[in-house]
Amino acid sequence: MRGTRWLVRLRRHNWTASIIELVIVALGILLALQVSNWNQERLDRARGDRYLQRIHSELVADRQDIDQTIALWRTVSTYGGAAIAHGERGDLVGGSRWKTVLAYYHASQLKTIELEDTTFSEMRDSGDLGLIANEELRKQLANYYRMTGAGTRAMILKHDPEYRPQVRGLTPWHVQEYIWSNCFRQLAGTQQEYLDCPSPISEQQAGLILADYGKADDLLQNLRFWMSTLKVSVIVIGGVRKDTEVLLDDVRAAQKE
């Protein structure tokens, strides 16, 4: 009897309305999921755009740092060339023993370069590199920032010349103090300026320092090697400078997509 009543209710049920309701519910769920996906895609695009903006700013900063570094390395190389001319032929800078001592000392100056990879590292570590839709651009960025990690370019640009501690160990301390106070200027950031300063010592005293340089084992050899390293470094960083320009153009193009 009860089974009969259940069959009657089942036959009276409006299946068409139920199916319509089910379809409406399903469509509502699908629409909600699609809206959620659209919203997530919008958020991802916005995050990707912010990353690209930051990378663009860092590339501009890299370009400026590269230009400043090349200029400084060339200045140091000029001092080094003058010191080599004295070591090989006895030539004095401007006929002055003091200026020649200064050339030896400033040839030991350093300015390392390290690309600003904060944004790229953040994207890589958080798994967000996929927010850059252009796969080729992702590869370009990875290769660009590899310069400060491992590989031949990175090794060439990590300067640690033996000449530097050697010549500074041979230069009297009071002379070094004078050089840092009067012949060198630290500018904004890592920028440096080397000044033509009057001598704090007599030409005879400067000559004694030059004599000590000449008697030091391997000083001239180490200076030559250091100058050769700087020469190659300028070539390498010049190539990186071109890569920076290409990346800047590609990042700008990706921002417009």
mmCIF file of all heavy atoms in Angstrom, residues 41-84:
data_model
loop_
_atom_site.group_PDB
_atom_site.id
_atom_site.type_symbol
_atom_site.label_atom_id
_atom_site.label_comp_id
_atom_site.label_asym_id
_atom_site.label_seq_id
_atom_site.Cartn_x
_atom_site.Cartn_y
_atom_site.Cartn_z
ATOM 1 N N GLU A 41 42.473 35.158 -13.416
ATOM 2 C CA GLU A 41 43.296 35.529 -14.566
ATOM 3 C C GLU A 41 43.584 37.028 -14.557
ATOM 4 O O GLU A 41 44.697 37.467 -14.874
ATOM 5 C CB GLU A 41 42.600 35.131 -15.860
ATOM 6 C CG GLU A 41 42.562 33.631 -16.093
ATOM 7 C CD GLU A 41 41.747 33.262 -17.316
ATOM 8 O OE1 GLU A 41 41.264 34.189 -18.012
ATOM 9 O OE2 GLU A 41 41.583 32.051 -17.575
ATOM 10 N N ARG A 42 42.564 37.806 -14.191
ATOM 11 C CA ARG A 42 42.758 39.266 -14.113
ATOM 12 C C ARG A 42 43.796 39.613 -13.047
ATOM 13 O O ARG A 42 44.678 40.438 -13.264
ATOM 14 C CB ARG A 42 41.425 39.937 -13.799
ATOM 15 C CG ARG A 42 41.497 41.457 -13.703
ATOM 16 C CD ARG A 42 40.128 42.035 -13.351
ATOM 17 N NE ARG A 42 39.657 41.548 -12.070
ATOM 18 C CZ ARG A 42 40.058 42.047 -10.900
ATOM 19 N NH1 ARG A 42 40.948 43.031 -10.856
ATOM 20 N NH2 ARG A 42 39.580 41.555 -9.770
ATOM 21 N N LEU A 43 43.680 38.947 -11.888
ATOM 22 C CA LEU A 43 44.643 39.193 -10.816
ATOM 23 C C LEU A 43 46.054 38.769 -11.239
ATOM 24 O O LEU A 43 47.033 39.462 -10.945
ATOM 25 C CB LEU A 43 44.219 38.446 -9.551
ATOM 26 C CG LEU A 43 42.931 38.928 -8.872
ATOM 27 C CD1 LEU A 43 42.570 37.996 -7.710
ATOM 28 C CD2 LEU A 43 43.089 40.363 -8.371
ATOM 29 N N ASP A 44 46.152 37.619 -11.929
ATOM 30 C CA ASP A 44 47.464 37.135 -12.386
ATOM 31 C C ASP A 44 48.075 38.101 -13.400
ATOM 32 O O ASP A 44 49.284 38.362 -13.373
ATOM 33 C CB ASP A 44 47.325 35.745 -13.006
ATOM 34 C CG ASP A 44 47.094 34.662 -11.960
ATOM 35 O OD1 ASP A 44 47.324 34.944 -10.769
ATOM 36 O OD2 ASP A 44 46.688 33.542 -12.341
ATOM 37 N N ARG A 45 47.236 38.607 -14.322
ATOM 38 C CA ARG A 45 47.745 39.568 -15.300
ATOM 39 C C ARG A 45 48.249 40.831 -14.609
ATOM 40 O O ARG A 45 49.288 41.386 -14.976
ATOM 41 C CB ARG A 45 46.651 39.920 -16.321
ATOM 42 C CG ARG A 45 46.445 38.876 -17.394
ATOM 43 C CD ARG A 45 45.683 39.454 -18.575
ATOM 44 N NE ARG A 45 44.370 39.964 -18.165
ATOM 45 C CZ ARG A 45 43.264 39.233 -18.132
ATOM 46 N NH1 ARG A 45 43.307 37.958 -18.476
ATOM 47 N NH2 ARG A 45 42.117 39.772 -17.762
ATOM 48 N N ALA A 46 47.502 41.272 -13.606
ATOM 49 C CA ALA A 46 47.912 42.470 -12.867
ATOM 50 C C ALA A 46 49.241 42.229 -12.139
ATOM 51 O O ALA A 46 50.134 43.090 -12.137
ATOM 52 C CB ALA A 46 46.832 42.874 -11.871
ATOM 53 N N ARG A 47 49.393 41.036 -11.522
ATOM 54 C CA ARG A 47 50.655 40.714 -10.849
ATOM 55 C C ARG A 47 51.788 40.625 -11.856
ATOM 56 O O ARG A 47 52.896 41.111 -11.612
ATOM 57 C CB ARG A 47 50.529 39.386 -10.098
ATOM 58 C CG ARG A 47 49.707 39.472 -8.817
ATOM 59 C CD ARG A 47 49.469 38.097 -8.234
ATOM 60 N NE ARG A 47 50.713 37.435 -7.890
ATOM 61 C CZ ARG A 47 50.879 36.107 -7.872
ATOM 62 N NH1 ARG A 47 49.870 35.317 -8.212
ATOM 63 N NH2 ARG A 47 52.032 35.598 -7.516
ATOM 64 N N GLY A 48 51.530 39.995 -12.997
ATOM 65 C CA GLY A 48 52.551 39.895 -14.036
ATOM 66 C C GLY A 48 52.978 41.273 -14.535
ATOM 67 O O GLY A 48 54.169 41.519 -14.756
ATOM 68 N N ASP A 49 52.009 42.181 -14.682
ATOM 69 C CA ASP A 49 52.324 43.541 -15.119
ATOM 70 C C ASP A 49 53.191 44.261 -14.089
ATOM 71 O O ASP A 49 54.123 44.990 -14.450
ATOM 72 C CB ASP A 49 51.038 44.336 -15.356
ATOM 73 C CG ASP A 49 50.297 43.875 -16.597
ATOM 74 O OD1 ASP A 49 50.923 43.206 -17.437
ATOM 75 O OD2 ASP A 49 49.091 44.176 -16.713
ATOM 76 N N ARG A 50 52.872 44.055 -12.811
ATOM 77 C CA ARG A 50 53.682 44.697 -11.762
ATOM 78 C C ARG A 50 55.111 44.147 -11.762
ATOM 79 O O ARG A 50 56.067 44.900 -11.604
ATOM 80 C CB ARG A 50 53.027 44.500 -10.394
ATOM 81 C CG ARG A 50 51.766 45.333 -10.185
ATOM 82 C CD ARG A 50 51.352 45.371 -8.721
ATOM 83 N NE ARG A 50 50.970 44.061 -8.218
ATOM 84 C CZ ARG A 50 49.748 43.565 -8.285
ATOM 85 N NH1 ARG A 50 48.770 44.275 -8.858
ATOM 86 N NH2 ARG A 50 49.459 42.368 -7.794
ATOM 87 N N TYR A 51 55.227 42.837 -11.961
ATOM 88 C CA TYR A 51 56.565 42.240 -12.056
ATOM 89 C C TYR A 51 57.344 42.843 -13.228
ATOM 90 O O TYR A 51 58.533 43.175 -13.105
ATOM 91 C CB TYR A 51 56.454 40.722 -12.247
ATOM 92 C CG TYR A 51 56.276 39.927 -10.980
ATOM 93 C CD1 TYR A 51 55.287 38.945 -10.889
ATOM 94 C CD2 TYR A 51 57.100 40.120 -9.871
ATOM 95 C CE1 TYR A 51 55.125 38.195 -9.731
ATOM 96 C CE2 TYR A 51 56.938 39.367 -8.712
ATOM 97 C CZ TYR A 51 55.952 38.403 -8.649
ATOM 98 O OH TYR A 51 55.797 37.654 -7.510
ATOM 99 N N LEU A 52 56.685 42.966 -14.374
ATOM 100 C CA LEU A 52 57.354 43.524 -15.555
ATOM 101 C C LEU A 52 57.777 44.974 -15.323
ATOM 102 O O LEU A 52 58.846 45.391 -15.762
ATOM 103 C CB LEU A 52 56.440 43.430 -16.772
ATOM 104 C CG LEU A 52 56.259 42.030 -17.378
ATOM 105 C CD1 LEU A 52 55.218 42.060 -18.482
ATOM 106 C CD2 LEU A 52 57.586 41.496 -17.915
ATOM 107 N N GLN A 53 56.937 45.733 -14.631
ATOM 108 C CA GLN A 53 57.291 47.121 -14.311
ATOM 109 C C GLN A 53 58.539 47.172 -13.441
ATOM 110 O O GLN A 53 59.435 47.992 -13.662
ATOM 111 C CB GLN A 53 56.123 47.807 -13.607
ATOM 112 C CG GLN A 53 54.919 48.080 -14.495
ATOM 113 C CD GLN A 53 53.709 48.541 -13.712
ATOM 114 O OE1 GLN A 53 53.774 48.764 -12.510
ATOM 115 N NE2 GLN A 53 52.571 48.670 -14.403
ATOM 116 N N ARG A 54 58.597 46.280 -12.450
ATOM 117 C CA ARG A 54 59.759 46.247 -11.561
ATOM 118 C C ARG A 54 61.010 45.797 -12.311
ATOM 119 O O ARG A 54 62.097 46.367 -12.124
ATOM 120 C CB ARG A 54 59.483 45.319 -10.380
ATOM 121 C CG ARG A 54 58.465 45.876 -9.392
ATOM 122 C CD ARG A 54 58.054 44.824 -8.381
ATOM 123 N NE ARG A 54 59.204 44.263 -7.663
ATOM 124 C CZ ARG A 54 59.125 43.209 -6.857
ATOM 125 N NH1 ARG A 54 57.965 42.599 -6.662
ATOM 126 N NH2 ARG A 54 60.208 42.770 -6.236
ATOM 127 N N ILE A 55 60.869 44.774 -13.167
ATOM 128 C CA ILE A 55 62.012 44.314 -13.958
ATOM 129 C C ILE A 55 62.508 45.432 -14.869
ATOM 130 O O ILE A 55 63.716 45.640 -15.023
ATOM 131 C CB ILE A 55 61.629 43.065 -14.785
ATOM 132 C CG1 ILE A 55 61.491 41.856 -13.856
ATOM 133 C CG2 ILE A 55 62.662 42.789 -15.864
ATOM 134 C CD1 ILE A 55 60.996 40.598 -14.549
ATOM 135 N N HIS A 56 61.569 46.175 -15.461
ATOM 136 C CA HIS A 56 61.950 47.296 -16.327
ATOM 137 C C HIS A 56 62.778 48.316 -15.547
ATOM 138 O O HIS A 56 63.829 48.778 -16.020
ATOM 139 C CB HIS A 56 60.703 47.955 -16.909
ATOM 140 C CG HIS A 56 60.996 49.081 -17.844
ATOM 141 N ND1 HIS A 56 61.200 50.378 -17.396
ATOM 142 C CD2 HIS A 56 61.156 49.114 -19.191
ATOM 143 C CE1 HIS A 56 61.454 51.155 -18.427
ATOM 144 N NE2 HIS A 56 61.434 50.425 -19.524
ATOM 145 N N SER A 57 62.324 48.667 -14.355
ATOM 146 C CA SER A 57 63.056 49.639 -13.537
ATOM 147 C C SER A 57 64.448 49.119 -13.173
ATOM 148 O O SER A 57 65.426 49.880 -13.186
ATOM 149 C CB SER A 57 62.271 49.951 -12.260
ATOM 150 O OG SER A 57 61.022 50.542 -12.554
ATOM 151 N N GLU A 58 64.545 47.839 -12.874
ATOM 152 C CA GLU A 58 65.835 47.265 -12.507
ATOM 153 C C GLU A 58 66.776 47.207 -13.710
ATOM 154 O O GLU A 58 67.992 47.401 -13.569
ATOM 155 C CB GLU A 58 65.636 45.874 -11.903
ATOM 156 C CG GLU A 58 64.990 45.937 -10.518
ATOM 157 C CD GLU A 58 64.637 44.575 -9.952
ATOM 158 O OE1 GLU A 58 64.918 43.557 -10.625
ATOM 159 O OE2 GLU A 58 64.089 44.516 -8.832
ATOM 160 N N LEU A 59 66.242 46.949 -14.892
ATOM 161 C CA LEU A 59 67.069 46.946 -16.101
ATOM 162 C C LEU A 59 67.612 48.340 -16.399
ATOM 163 O O LEU A 59 68.766 48.496 -16.822
ATOM 164 C CB LEU A 59 66.262 46.420 -17.293
ATOM 165 C CG LEU A 59 65.961 44.922 -17.293
ATOM 166 C CD1 LEU A 59 64.982 44.589 -18.424
ATOM 167 C CD2 LEU A 59 67.240 44.107 -17.442
ATOM 168 N N VAL A 60 66.784 49.351 -16.187
ATOM 169 C CA VAL A 60 67.248 50.737 -16.369
ATOM 170 C C VAL A 60 68.390 51.030 -15.393
ATOM 171 O O VAL A 60 69.399 51.647 -15.752
ATOM 172 C CB VAL A 60 66.092 51.732 -16.175
ATOM 173 C CG1 VAL A 60 66.614 53.167 -16.133
ATOM 174 C CG2 VAL A 60 65.063 51.581 -17.297
ATOM 175 N N ALA A 61 68.229 50.570 -14.140
ATOM 176 C CA ALA A 61 69.289 50.768 -13.141
ATOM 177 C C ALA A 61 70.550 49.998 -13.529
ATOM 178 O O ALA A 61 71.670 50.494 -13.359
ATOM 179 C CB ALA A 61 68.797 50.323 -11.767
ATOM 180 N N ASP A 62 70.373 48.777 -14.071
ATOM 181 C CA ASP A 62 71.521 47.993 -14.539
ATOM 182 C C ASP A 62 72.275 48.740 -15.629
ATOM 183 O O ASP A 62 73.513 48.781 -15.631
ATOM 184 C CB ASP A 62 71.049 46.640 -15.098
ATOM 185 C CG ASP A 62 70.684 45.649 -14.011
ATOM 186 O OD1 ASP A 62 71.054 45.875 -12.838
ATOM 187 O OD2 ASP A 62 70.023 44.643 -14.333
ATOM 188 N N ARG A 63 71.534 49.287 -16.564
ATOM 189 C CA ARG A 63 72.159 50.006 -17.677
ATOM 190 C C ARG A 63 73.013 51.163 -17.167
ATOM 191 O O ARG A 63 74.145 51.376 -17.626
ATOM 192 C CB ARG A 63 71.078 50.528 -18.633
ATOM 193 C CG ARG A 63 71.627 51.254 -19.855
ATOM 194 C CD ARG A 63 70.495 51.614 -20.799
ATOM 195 N NE ARG A 63 69.520 52.483 -20.179
ATOM 196 C CZ ARG A 63 68.373 52.855 -20.755
ATOM 197 N NH1 ARG A 63 68.067 52.417 -21.959
ATOM 198 N NH2 ARG A 63 67.538 53.657 -20.133
ATOM 199 N N GLN A 64 72.492 51.905 -16.202
ATOM 200 C CA GLN A 64 73.244 53.022 -15.632
ATOM 201 C C GLN A 64 74.489 52.522 -14.897
ATOM 202 O O GLN A 64 75.578 53.083 -15.043
ATOM 203 C CB GLN A 64 72.354 53.809 -14.673
ATOM 204 C CG GLN A 64 73.057 55.014 -14.046
ATOM 205 C CD GLN A 64 72.147 55.775 -13.109
ATOM 206 O OE1 GLN A 64 71.063 55.326 -12.751
ATOM 207 N NE2 GLN A 64 72.569 56.941 -12.681
ATOM 208 N N ASP A 65 74.324 51.441 -14.128
ATOM 209 C CA ASP A 65 75.452 50.895 -13.379
ATOM 210 C C ASP A 65 76.522 50.365 -14.325
ATOM 211 O O ASP A 65 77.728 50.522 -14.076
ATOM 212 C CB ASP A 65 74.970 49.786 -12.444
ATOM 213 C CG ASP A 65 76.043 49.331 -11.476
ATOM 214 O OD1 ASP A 65 76.868 50.165 -11.056
ATOM 215 O OD2 ASP A 65 76.066 48.136 -11.121
ATOM 216 N N ILE A 66 76.098 49.711 -15.397
ATOM 217 C CA ILE A 66 77.048 49.192 -16.380
ATOM 218 C C ILE A 66 77.855 50.332 -16.999
ATOM 219 O O ILE A 66 79.085 50.252 -17.130
ATOM 220 C CB ILE A 66 76.312 48.391 -17.473
ATOM 221 C CG1 ILE A 66 75.806 47.067 -16.896
ATOM 222 C CG2 ILE A 66 77.222 48.131 -18.661
ATOM 223 C CD1 ILE A 66 74.871 46.312 -17.820
ATOM 224 N N ASP A 67 77.181 51.409 -17.385
ATOM 225 C CA ASP A 67 77.877 52.555 -17.982
ATOM 226 C C ASP A 67 78.896 53.157 -17.004
ATOM 227 O O ASP A 67 80.026 53.485 -17.389
ATOM 228 C CB ASP A 67 76.867 53.625 -18.402
ATOM 229 C CG ASP A 67 76.036 53.193 -19.606
ATOM 230 O OD1 ASP A 67 76.439 52.240 -20.306
ATOM 231 O OD2 ASP A 67 74.979 53.803 -19.847
ATOM 232 N N GLN A 68 78.484 53.302 -15.748
ATOM 233 C CA GLN A 68 79.394 53.851 -14.748
ATOM 234 C C GLN A 68 80.579 52.916 -14.500
ATOM 235 O O GLN A 68 81.722 53.372 -14.335
ATOM 236 C CB GLN A 68 78.634 54.103 -13.445
ATOM 237 C CG GLN A 68 77.598 55.206 -13.536
ATOM 238 C CD GLN A 68 76.723 55.289 -12.294
ATOM 239 O OE1 GLN A 68 76.812 54.439 -11.391
ATOM 240 N NE2 GLN A 68 75.863 56.296 -12.230
ATOM 241 N N THR A 69 80.298 51.617 -14.494
ATOM 242 C CA THR A 69 81.356 50.642 -14.250
ATOM 243 C C THR A 69 82.362 50.618 -15.384
ATOM 244 O O THR A 69 83.585 50.585 -15.152
ATOM 245 C CB THR A 69 80.750 49.239 -14.053
ATOM 246 O OG1 THR A 69 79.861 49.261 -12.931
ATOM 247 C CG2 THR A 69 81.830 48.210 -13.794
ATOM 248 N N ILE A 70 81.886 50.634 -16.622
ATOM 249 C CA ILE A 70 82.797 50.656 -17.771
ATOM 250 C C ILE A 70 83.684 51.884 -17.721
ATOM 251 O O ILE A 70 84.901 51.809 -17.958
ATOM 252 C CB ILE A 70 81.999 50.604 -19.089
ATOM 253 C CG1 ILE A 70 81.378 49.216 -19.274
ATOM 254 C CG2 ILE A 70 82.891 50.944 -20.272
ATOM 255 C CD1 ILE A 70 80.484 49.094 -20.495
ATOM 256 N N ALA A 71 83.100 53.043 -17.407
ATOM 257 C CA ALA A 71 83.881 54.282 -17.325
ATOM 258 C C ALA A 71 84.958 54.176 -16.252
ATOM 259 O O ALA A 71 86.110 54.585 -16.455
ATOM 260 C CB ALA A 71 82.957 55.465 -17.044
ATOM 261 N N LEU A 72 84.597 53.610 -15.099
ATOM 262 C CA LEU A 72 85.567 53.490 -14.011
ATOM 263 C C LEU A 72 86.669 52.499 -14.369
ATOM 264 O O LEU A 72 87.856 52.751 -14.118
ATOM 265 C CB LEU A 72 84.858 53.074 -12.727
ATOM 266 C CG LEU A 72 85.744 53.057 -11.462
ATOM 267 C CD1 LEU A 72 84.963 53.579 -10.264
ATOM 268 C CD2 LEU A 72 86.267 51.658 -11.174
ATOM 269 N N TRP A 73 86.292 51.349 -14.943
ATOM 270 C CA TRP A 73 87.307 50.367 -15.320
ATOM 271 C C TRP A 73 88.286 50.955 -16.335
ATOM 272 O O TRP A 73 89.485 50.651 -16.291
ATOM 273 C CB TRP A 73 86.642 49.140 -15.912
ATOM 274 C CG TRP A 73 85.981 48.252 -14.887
ATOM 275 C CD1 TRP A 73 86.104 48.342 -13.519
ATOM 276 C CD2 TRP A 73 85.104 47.166 -15.134
ATOM 277 N NE1 TRP A 73 85.346 47.373 -12.913
ATOM 278 C CE2 TRP A 73 84.724 46.635 -13.864
ATOM 279 C CE3 TRP A 73 84.588 46.582 -16.286
ATOM 280 C CZ2 TRP A 73 83.867 45.540 -13.746
ATOM 281 C CZ3 TRP A 73 83.730 45.500 -16.174
ATOM 282 C CH2 TRP A 73 83.374 44.981 -14.916
ATOM 283 N N ARG A 74 87.788 51.773 -17.232
ATOM 284 C CA ARG A 74 88.683 52.389 -18.215
ATOM 285 C C ARG A 74 89.633 53.382 -17.551
ATOM 286 O O ARG A 74 90.806 53.492 -17.931
ATOM 287 C CB ARG A 74 87.863 53.073 -19.305
ATOM 288 C CG ARG A 74 87.253 52.062 -20.284
ATOM 289 C CD ARG A 74 86.325 52.711 -21.280
ATOM 290 N NE ARG A 74 85.898 51.741 -22.291
ATOM 291 C CZ ARG A 74 84.845 51.904 -23.093
ATOM 292 N NH1 ARG A 74 84.118 53.014 -23.007
ATOM 293 N NH2 ARG A 74 84.523 50.973 -23.969
ATOM 294 N N THR A 75 89.131 54.097 -16.542
ATOM 295 C CA THR A 75 90.000 55.018 -15.800
ATOM 296 C C THR A 75 91.080 54.241 -15.060
ATOM 297 O O THR A 75 92.274 54.611 -15.091
ATOM 298 C CB THR A 75 89.170 55.838 -14.801
ATOM 299 O OG1 THR A 75 88.211 56.621 -15.506
ATOM 300 C CG2 THR A 75 90.064 56.769 -13.980
ATOM 301 N N VAL A 76 90.689 53.163 -14.375
ATOM 302 C CA VAL A 76 91.660 52.328 -13.666
ATOM 303 C C VAL A 76 92.672 51.742 -14.655
ATOM 304 O O VAL A 76 93.875 51.670 -14.358
ATOM 305 C CB VAL A 76 90.938 51.208 -12.885
ATOM 306 C CG1 VAL A 76 91.933 50.205 -12.314
ATOM 307 C CG2 VAL A 76 90.094 51.802 -11.759
ATOM 308 N N SER A 77 92.197 51.346 -15.829
ATOM 309 C CA SER A 77 93.094 50.789 -16.843
ATOM 310 C C SER A 77 94.103 51.832 -17.319
ATOM 311 O O SER A 77 95.256 51.493 -17.631
ATOM 312 C CB SER A 77 92.283 50.259 -18.027
ATOM 313 O OG SER A 77 91.484 49.158 -17.638
ATOM 314 N N THR A 78 93.666 53.079 -17.393
ATOM 315 C CA THR A 78 94.592 54.149 -17.786
ATOM 316 C C THR A 78 95.710 54.287 -16.755
ATOM 317 O O THR A 78 96.900 54.404 -17.110
ATOM 318 C CB THR A 78 93.841 55.481 -17.936
ATOM 319 O OG1 THR A 78 92.857 55.363 -18.968
ATOM 320 C CG2 THR A 78 94.800 56.607 -18.294
ATOM 321 N N TYR A 79 95.343 54.276 -15.467
ATOM 322 C CA TYR A 79 96.362 54.310 -14.412
ATOM 323 C C TYR A 79 97.268 53.082 -14.506
ATOM 324 O O TYR A 79 98.497 53.176 -14.371
ATOM 325 C CB TYR A 79 95.696 54.351 -13.033
ATOM 326 C CG TYR A 79 95.160 55.706 -12.641
ATOM 327 C CD1 TYR A 79 93.788 55.887 -12.445
ATOM 328 C CD2 TYR A 79 96.006 56.795 -12.448
ATOM 329 C CE1 TYR A 79 93.281 57.129 -12.071
ATOM 330 C CE2 TYR A 79 95.506 58.037 -12.078
ATOM 331 C CZ TYR A 79 94.146 58.196 -11.890
ATOM 332 O OH TYR A 79 93.653 59.425 -11.527
ATOM 333 N N GLY A 80 96.653 51.921 -14.738
ATOM 334 C CA GLY A 80 97.448 50.701 -14.833
ATOM 335 C C GLY A 80 98.415 50.734 -15.995
ATOM 336 O O GLY A 80 99.567 50.283 -15.878
ATOM 337 N N GLY A 81 97.954 51.263 -17.128
ATOM 338 C CA GLY A 81 98.843 51.375 -18.285
ATOM 339 C C GLY A 81 100.033 52.275 -18.000
ATOM 340 O O GLY A 81 101.168 51.992 -18.418
ATOM 341 N N ALA A 82 99.795 53.373 -17.246
ATOM 342 C CA ALA A 82 100.888 54.279 -16.878
ATOM 343 C C ALA A 82 101.864 53.588 -15.934
ATOM 344 O O ALA A 82 103.095 53.764 -16.051
ATOM 345 C CB ALA A 82 100.314 55.533 -16.222
ATOM 346 N N ALA A 83 101.345 52.783 -14.997
ATOM 347 C CA ALA A 83 102.212 52.058 -14.078
ATOM 348 C C ALA A 83 103.034 51.007 -14.823
ATOM 349 O O ALA A 83 104.233 50.810 -14.536
ATOM 350 C CB ALA A 83 101.391 51.411 -12.976
ATOM 351 N N ILE A 84 102.418 50.322 -15.781
ATOM 352 C CA ILE A 84 103.148 49.335 -16.584
ATOM 353 C C ILE A 84 104.260 50.014 -17.387
ATOM 354 O O ILE A 84 105.380 49.486 -17.502
ATOM 355 C CB ILE A 84 102.181 48.576 -17.514
ATOM 356 C CG1 ILE A 84 101.287 47.642 -16.693
ATOM 357 C CG2 ILE A 84 102.946 47.781 -18.567
ATOM 358 C CD1 ILE A 84 100.187 46.967 -17.495
#
